[in-house]
Amino acid sequence: MTLHKLALIPGDGIGVDVIDAAMTVLRSAGERFGFGLETETFPWSCAYYLEHGTMMPADGIDTLRGFDAIFLGAVGWPETVPDSVSLHGLLLPIRKAFDQYANIRPHRLLSGVEGPLKAEGFDILCIRENTEGEYSGAGGRVHQGKGNEVAVETSVFTRLGVERILRFGFEQARARRKHLTSVTKSNAQKYSMVFWDEVTRELAAGYPDVTVSHMHIDAMAAKMVMAPQDLDVIVASNLFGDILTDLGAAIQGGLGFAASANISPDRANPSMFEPVHGSAPDIAGRNIANPIAAIWSGAQMLDHLGEGEAAAAVLAAIETATAQGIGIRPGLHSTDEITTAIRAALEA
Ligand code: IPM
Ligand code: MN
């Protein structure tokens, strides 16, 4: 029997609730499809920070390196630890250290979920660059607190980084409906975004079967509301992809449905799977968080681990539940009820 070694980082708030829920579903999938999940849980979180002064131990990255995948809940508890500290101490360093450059976020309406738009159906795959761009971390502050204070934060776009994320997007488009939309803001940002557009055109020549559109981020924001059905694969920089995927989550019915995979495509390092939503302190531990985003992310993880059949079954089980109205709106069902319904559908 194949055994997959998973590092679990439930993190903060509802991260704990949804990882718990998702693991019960993934374990059922393992029983049905004949693979095992060996897990080790790491308590790295804001609570851990308050006790140890760091979000994870100094050898945290090395510890994670030995796992087949990382399953993360959510990070952040701004009442006690500033987000700029907690995220730069855990989530963002993992993405960078393991070169998880492709952040894959699917946006579509699950059966039974209505969403806020009139659009009847859409199926968008957002490919977000995940290691550089606006999240490069390059910058600094001088004269703090004085009248002449300066803060600089530099976006970094490398040929390596831009080429590989676009190539990844082209490959995804090729496996889907063969349409790619590259999102920039090259009318205003004349160096980095013009460069991105150029690389898109260069690579497009090698994918004659994929049609390519170029859109500015502002126009894309409108398009995702007005005509999301026209979109297939979207490729965007780190910050643009971040913003568009919260919009994507909104049009698919809310953050409770938005899954995400941080993929390290060459497989030299573990990839990380996490729902798009945050820790939601206001509803943490109350058995009301929607676990679907985490369970869907878990399905992405199974797929990445080579358990494609199990991944498809988990996704089908989610949709069997939502088609029956389970978990389709906040407050309708508890975390446990949604999880139980999905497990039952998986085991049926
Ligand atoms: C996300 C989150 C993170 C990001 C935050 C928490 C740093 O919003 O995964 O979308 O901006 O990448
Ligand atoms: Mn985000």
Side-chain angles (χ1 to χ4, degrees):
M1 187 176 75
T2 321
L3 200 58
H4 303 291
K5 275 181 67 185
L6 306 182
L8 305 184
I9 309 177
D12 297 299
I14 62 166
V16 178
D17 310 12
V18 299
I19 290 295
D20 246 20
M23 281 312 300
T24 67
V25 174
L26 300 187
R27 285 193 200 288
S28 290
E31 274 161 36
R32 182 171 152 199
F33 290 90
F35 60 86
L37 297 173
E38 185 187 297
T39 60
E40 187 171 343
T41 302
F42 298 94
W44 306 339
S45 60
C46 290
Y48 183 95
Y49 181 91
L50 293 179
E51 207 177 307
H52 299 90
T54 55
M55 290 297 293
M56 64 177 155
D59 63 355
I61 294 292
D62 282 332
T63 304
L64 294 174
R65 208 182 296 279
F67 288 84
D68 297 322
I70 303 161
F71 197 24
L72 182 138
V75 181
W77 199 267
E79 230 176 78
T80 57
V81 183
D83 283 342
S84 57
V85 172
S86 58
L87 276 317
H88 282 277
L90 189 56
L91 177 71
L92 298 173
I94 296 173
R95 288 179 182 166
K96 283 187 188 170
F98 295 139
D99 217 13
Q100 296 166 344
Y101 69 81
N103 188 317
I104 307 178
R105 298 182 163 183
H107 302 294
R108 65 182 180 82
L109 289 169
L110 296 171
S111 316
V113 177
E114 276 181 2
L117 302 184
K118 290 202 194 102
E120 283 189 357
F122 53 87
D123 183 354
I124 301 171
L125 193 67
C126 185
I127 308 296
R128 165 187 176 187
E129 203 293 321
N130 214 29
T131 55
E132 55 171 45
E134 306 87 344
Y135 283 46
S136 72
R141 288 175 66 175
V142 288
H143 310 306
Q144 287 196 37
K146 310 236 175 69
N148 59 345
E149 181 161 3
V150 181
V152 178
E153 191 136 7
T154 307
S155 296
V156 174
F157 289 84
T158 64
R159 180 167 281 277
L160 177 104
V162 175
E163 274 188 3
R164 67 185 183 177
I165 195 62
L166 281 161
R167 217 173 248 124
F168 192 91
F170 274 108
E171 294 295 337
Q172 296 292 318
R174 185 168 258 181
R176 289 168 47 102
R177 299 193 307 281
K178 300 188 170 42
H179 186 66
L180 178 141
T181 308
S182 167
V183 183
T184 62
K185 184 64 187 169
S186 50
N187 53 354
Q189 305 226 285
K190 63 180 179 177
Y191 303 115
S192 56
M193 294 288 156
V194 168
F195 169 57
W196 179 295
D197 283 356
E198 281 171 17
V199 175
T200 307
R201 281 192 205 94
E202 283 168 28
L203 290 181
Y207 296 88
D209 50 328
V210 176
T211 56
V212 180
S213 305
H214 296 256
M215 281 189 85
H216 298 310
I217 172 92
D218 46 354
M220 176 56 90
K223 175 102 177 166
M224 284 177 68
V225 172
M226 304 303 288
Q229 70 279 359
D230 294 347
L231 297 163
D232 179 13
V233 172
I234 298 175
V235 187
S237 65
N238 211 332
L239 180 62
F240 288 0
D242 175 50
I243 297 166
L244 289 180
T245 54
D246 258 43
L247 181 52
I251 64 171
Q252 76 189 121
L255 281 153
F257 299 107
S260 146
N262 303 272
I263 300 289
S264 188
D266 70 8
R267 291 175 182 265
N269 292 302
S271 293
M272 175 166 66
F273 302 81
E274 47 155 348
V276 174
H277 64 68
S279 59
D282 52 324
I283 60 163
R286 291 170 52 196
N287 191 25
I288 54 176
N290 187 343
I292 290 179
I295 297 170
W296 190 346
S297 306
Q300 290 179 305
M301 177 165 69
L302 294 185
D303 195 43
H304 182 76
L305 293 170
E307 305 291 354
E309 233 188 309
V314 169
L315 203 49
I318 292 173
E319 291 212 78
T320 302
T322 55
Q324 294 162 358
I326 308 289
I328 58 170
R329 273 191 303 280
L332 268 188
H333 298 98
S334 69
T335 310
D336 288 347
E337 284 168 335
I338 300 170
T339 308
T340 303
I342 294 171
R343 268 188 71 174
L346 184 64
E347 285 161 12

